[in-house]
Amino acid sequence: MTSVAAQHLPYDLADPYRSLSLNTATTKRWTLTEAVDGAARAGLGAVGLWRDRVDEIGAAAAAKIVADAGLRVSSLCRGGFLTEPGDGQAALDDNRRAIDDAATLATRELVMVMGGIPDRDLAGARARVEERLALLAPYAAERGVRLALEPLHPMFCADRAVISTLAQALSMAQPYPADTVGVVVDTFHLWWDPSLEEQIAHAGASGRISSYQVCDWLNPMTADPLLSRGMMGDGVIDFTTIGRWVRTAGYRGDVEVEIFNATIWSSDGHEVIETMKQRYRDLVLPSLI
Amino acid sequence: MTSVAAQHLPYDLADPYRSLSLNTATTKRWTLTEAVDGAARAGLGAVGLWRDRVDEIGAAAAAKIVADAGLRVSSLCRGGFLTEPGDGQAALDDNRRAIDDAATLATRELVMVMGGIPDRDLAGARARVEERLALLAPYAAERGVRLALEPLHPMFCADRAVISTLAQALSMAQPYPADTVGVVVDTFHLWWDPSLEEQIAHAGASGRISSYQVCDWLNPMTADPLLSRGMMGDGVIDFTTIGRWVRTAGYRGDVEVEIFNATIWSSDGHEVIETMKQRYRDLVLPSLI
């Protein structure tokens, strides 16, 4: 059982990449070992891990690789997909495995993508999420893992996540202690929300910001909306303003870069990391200091 | 100058299409004359007009064609696009022409799509919308036309509309009389919103529902998000639930069908209307009665 304290990083222009985390989805072609190596060589402080790459070698081996490289695991992605009708046992079992893996990886934050609507019953799908969250929260709490509810952009409500706003995620988290259920602030998913400043403040005041994830919104969008994310600076998002809100809300953790983008995926991973570092230093970090 | 009273239609399964309005964007290839003829022959009560088709013949001629066919104009689409930096005079002039046309067409409702963000300054774009709305509202009020603010799905925030939720539209409408600034409830844009029931109730209680527009959300989405709308029943939206909310909120006006969809556009217009009628009668109308 691992208990991980909340991070309180010093953001520092003299050591700018200590707070920067490479999510393995950004360098999708790399194995976990390659991603950890790439992040460590580039001087980053952390990696965010997807389960597909962890499963290839097992959580214990993955944990050792990350620790040997001197990195943190900023989050494990992902649990969730709790909206299917029926008893939900298969999904619950999978989520318990994900919680175990998060504990093994010594990360406090398990990102939860809640699932879409298997039918036309949106209220029913949301109710199932709440019921199943109640079953998982004690299991996570015992293992020192926080369920980090991620609101996804409303265009994914049908197929991926019936949680669409930070307000909704906070409302769903509210019955639980702040160190058991948190929320993810991902700029791509949330930048449009007219109540975002207020909701980030609420999330911070309740100690529930599990992760700050940055990537840009490309305009025009790409044909596959899932891949319409861009490197910071390539789209329309004002990272200075949102970063100020996140800082004011008291977040001092890793900043994760998770970009689903076919062009980035086909590029050399080391070059992607160099671009990511530059954009982070220029566009994201200053407002966090 | 035309002053048009709010509609209070009886919804009736024995006369189901009296409340149904064909938006000319649904039968995109048809001229205004063809669309009016198609709607009248199918026994619909109204048409929603796009300005491109009105401009081809002029508002006065269009008004005569609609009146001669015994139809109402449920709305004129669209004014707006008020987010550009600068003095905005060209957009304001265009909106005054749209208001004049709405009055000529004897429709109370001018649908306003507010425009996207020309830069990364979302707050600035929203502020310009508010400033310019203040300039247009008196002009509309004098002509008996209501500015019907349409929240568009958040995936259009960058390129089309910085108003993304009904709550936000209502907040922007609040300084004005209810018969001067209203809001559009479009299922495609709003179905995902966790606060939708509450916001429709607010919109109804303040007498601001300008239009109820129905079309479905296709899952998976099409490559062009703009064309990812579907005929009611072809997607994931629960029209029974949303219709009940709209009815409870007191709306008794036309129900407009506006579908941007390449397959529907390439189909025979009369067949599209027949499908639309059947889906309306089966999926939409019952919950409004």
Side-chain angles (χ1 to χ4, degrees):
Chain A
M1 303 305 150
T2 309
S3 179
V4 183
Q7 298 164 14
H8 287 281
L9 292 172
Y11 298 122
D12 186 351
L13 275 177
D15 183 13
Y17 310 119
R18 180 192 178 99
S19 50
L20 181 56
S21 175
L22 172 70
N23 183 293
T24 57
T26 303
T27 50
K28 186 184 172 70
R29 292 185 307 174
W30 273 353
T31 63
L32 186 139
T33 302
E34 289 168 334
V36 168
D37 180 62
R41 283 210 278 163
L44 309 190
V47 284
L49 302 182
W50 271 66
R51 289 179 73 200
D52 57 344
R53 289 304 191 182
V54 172
D55 287 347
E56 288 172 354
I57 52 175
K64 182 169 189 319
I65 290 166
V66 175
D68 288 350
L71 299 179
R72 294 178 298 281
V73 178
S74 50
S75 74
L76 177 64
C77 193
R78 60 195 184 186
F81 289 87
L82 295 171
T83 54
E84 285 296 324
D87 67 4
Q89 276 311 320
L92 289 166
D93 288 346
D94 183 63
N95 274 273
R96 292 189 190 99
R97 282 191 297 273
I99 291 166
D100 291 340
D101 285 354
T104 301
L105 290 160
T107 181
R108 176 186 164 97
E109 313 293 350
L110 174 63
V111 174
M112 303 284 286
V113 173
M114 285 311 193
I117 47 174
D119 45 34
R120 293 188 175 89
D121 181 13
L122 182 53
R126 287 174 173 156
R128 288 192 290 277
V129 164
E130 295 193 353
E131 286 163 19
R132 291 164 187 176
L133 190 59
L135 299 175
L136 293 171
Y139 191 91
E142 286 169 15
R143 284 151 186 82
V145 170
R146 177 153 72 171
L147 304 174
L149 311 185
E150 179 162 30
L152 257 55
H153 193 282
M155 69 182 171
F156 299 123
C157 186
D159 63 348
R160 271 186 185 73
V162 295
I163 301 187
S164 305
T165 65
L166 199 53
Q168 187 189 7
L170 285 168
S171 167
M172 233 172 245
Q174 198 276 330
Y176 305 97
D179 58 2
T180 302
V181 182
V183 297
V184 177
V185 176
D186 182 312
T187 54
F188 175 82
H189 294 305
L190 301 178
W191 71 278
W192 59 271
D193 187 339
S195 72
L196 187 57
E197 179 177 10
E198 178 189 349
Q199 298 305 330
I200 288 175
H202 288 171
S206 56
R208 292 193 195 268
I209 302 181
S210 291
S211 178
Y212 179 43
Q213 303 195 348
V214 292
C215 79
D216 216 331
W217 177 278
L218 299 181
N219 181 28
M221 291 169 64
T222 59
D224 181 346
L226 195 63
L227 307 187
S228 200
R229 299 173 174 228
M231 188 62 76
M232 300 80 77
D234 287 351
V236 301
I237 294 179
D238 173 5
F239 292 98
T240 300
T241 297
I242 297 179
R244 195 176 64 238
W245 297 341
V246 168
R247 177 188 163 69
T248 303
Y251 183 74
R252 299 287 184 279
D254 288 309
V255 181
E256 211 171 285
V257 177
E258 183 190 41
I259 307 179
F260 294 25
N261 178 302
T263 305
I264 289 176
W265 285 345
S266 66
S267 305
D268 174 76
H270 299 288
E271 287 174 17
V272 168
I273 292 178
E274 285 310 307
T275 305
M276 183 179 106
K277 287 168 64 175
Q278 181 219 318
R279 302 293 178 85
Y280 178 70
R281 187 191 58 218
D282 294 348
L283 300 175
V284 177
L285 184 59
S287 63
L288 295 174
I289 293 175
Chain B
M1 304 305 150
T2 309
S3 179
V4 183
Q7 299 164 15
H8 287 281
L9 292 173
Y11 298 122
D12 186 351
L13 274 177
D15 183 12
Y17 311 118
R18 180 194 178 99
S19 50
L20 181 57
S21 175
L22 172 71
N23 183 292
T24 57
T26 303
T27 50
K28 186 183 172 71
R29 293 186 307 174
W30 273 353
T31 64
L32 187 138
T33 302
E34 289 168 335
V36 167
D37 180 61
R41 283 211 278 164
L44 309 191
V47 285
L49 302 182
W50 270 67
R51 290 179 72 200
D52 58 345
R53 290 303 192 183
V54 172
D55 287 346
E56 289 172 355
I57 53 176
K64 183 169 188 318
I65 290 167
V66 175
D68 288 350
L71 299 179
R72 296 178 297 280
V73 177
S74 50
S75 75
L76 177 64
C77 193
R78 61 194 183 186
F81 288 87
L82 296 171
T83 54
E84 285 295 324
D87 67 4
Q89 276 311 319
L92 288 166
D93 289 346
D94 184 64
N95 275 274
R96 291 189 190 99
R97 282 192 296 274
I99 292 166
D100 291 341
D101 285 353
T104 301
L105 290 161
T107 183
R108 174 188 164 95
E109 312 294 351
L110 175 63
V111 174
M112 303 285 284
V113 174
M114 285 313 193
I117 48 173
D119 45 36
R120 292 189 177 87
D121 181 12
L122 182 52
R126 287 173 173 157
R128 289 192 289 278
V129 164
E130 295 194 353
E131 286 164 19
R132 291 165 187 176
L133 190 58
L135 300 175
L136 292 171
Y139 190 91
E142 285 169 16
R143 283 151 187 83
V145 169
R146 177 153 72 171
L147 304 175
L149 311 185
E150 181 163 30
L152 257 56
H153 193 283
M155 69 182 170
F156 299 123
C157 187
D159 63 347
R160 272 188 183 73
V162 295
I163 301 186
S164 305
T165 65
L166 199 52
Q168 188 189 7
L170 285 168
S171 167
M172 233 173 244
Q174 198 276 332
Y176 306 96
D179 57 2
T180 301
V181 181
V183 297
V184 177
V185 176
D186 183 312
T187 55
F188 176 82
H189 294 305
L190 302 178
W191 71 278
W192 58 272
D193 187 340
S195 72
L196 188 57
E197 178 176 12
E198 177 189 350
Q199 298 306 329
I200 288 176
H202 288 171
S206 57
R208 292 194 195 267
I209 302 181
S210 290
S211 178
Y212 179 43
Q213 304 195 347
V214 291
C215 78
D216 217 331
W217 177 278
L218 299 180
N219 181 27
M221 292 171 62
T222 61
D224 181 345
L226 195 64
L227 306 187
S228 200
R229 299 174 173 228
M231 187 64 76
M232 299 81 76
D234 288 351
V236 301
I237 294 179
D238 173 4
F239 293 98
T240 300
T241 298
I242 297 179
R244 194 177 65 237
W245 296 341
V246 168
R247 174 185 166 70
T248 303
Y251 183 74
R252 299 287 184 277
D254 288 309
V255 181
E256 210 170 288
V257 177
E258 182 190 40
I259 307 178
F260 294 25
N261 178 304
T263 306
I264 290 176
W265 285 345
S266 66
S267 304
D268 173 76
H270 299 289
E271 288 173 17
V272 168
I273 293 178
E274 286 310 307
T275 304
M276 181 179 108
K277 287 168 65 175
Q278 181 219 316
R279 303 291 179 88
Y280 177 70
R281 187 191 59 218
D282 295 348
L283 300 176
V284 179
L285 184 59
S287 63
L288 295 173
I289 292 175

